[in-house]
Amino acid sequence: MLERFFKYQSVLTRHKNAPFVKERERYLIHKEKEGCVQATLDRIARELFRVAKRFQGDGSNTREIKPEEIQKVANDWAQEQYQSGRAKSLKWSRKLFVR
């Protein structure tokens, strides 16, 4: 599935070696079945990669991620986006990350 999004071998390898690869691919298939167009799927694939990297803490790809952990990581993400000037508010960055 990821081969459809990343043409360069080094980029594809990086995505395949990132945490939760099966879950990310399953979600992309789900979004495709919902009718998402290729450009949207491309964006989602890139976002899922960044999100997965945030949860790789213990190196496990099979651990359960609790809602409290999602909220904490979303807060950290939103703060980084805001401080770098990529977001105008914490609220919407946090909501987008959780979604």
Side-chain angles (χ1 to χ4, degrees):
M1 176 70 163
L2 292 175
E3 292 81 5
R4 291 177 37 204
F5 304 105
F6 307 107
K7 305 302 178 208
Y8 295 106
Q9 190 59 44
S10 60
V11 176
L12 178 60
T13 299
R14 184 169 54 241
H15 278 262
K16 283 188 169 191
N17 291 333
F20 308 106
V21 66
K22 289 178 184 161
E23 291 83 358
R24 291 183 286 124
E25 287 183 329
R26 190 170 59 236
Y27 185 71
L28 288 167
I29 291 167
H30 166 73
K31 295 305 284 183
E32 183 176 50
K33 287 179 181 176
E34 282 189 340
C36 287
V37 297
Q38 189 65 40
T40 301
L41 294 170
D42 290 346
R43 181 184 51 79
I44 292 170
R46 290 189 308 272
E47 290 173 357
L48 287 175
F49 172 79
R50 290 191 298 271
V51 169
K53 297 288 280 180
R54 296 278 177 154
F55 289 102
Q56 72 180 3
D58 66 359
S60 170
N61 284 336
T62 58
R63 70 184 182 86
E64 180 181 349
I65 299 173
K66 301 197 180 320
E68 309 81 50
E69 184 179 3
I70 294 171
Q71 290 302 321
K72 185 204 176 307
V73 174
N75 288 336
D76 293 346
W77 168 269
Q79 192 67 39
E80 290 172 20
Q81 296 299 306
Y82 181 75
Q83 289 175 344
S84 70
R86 290 188 296 263
K88 294 182 182 183
S89 79
L90 298 175
K91 177 183 176 184
W92 297 114
S93 284
R94 193 171 28 244
K95 280 184 171 270
L96 178 61
F97 185 91
V98 170
R99 191 181 81 216

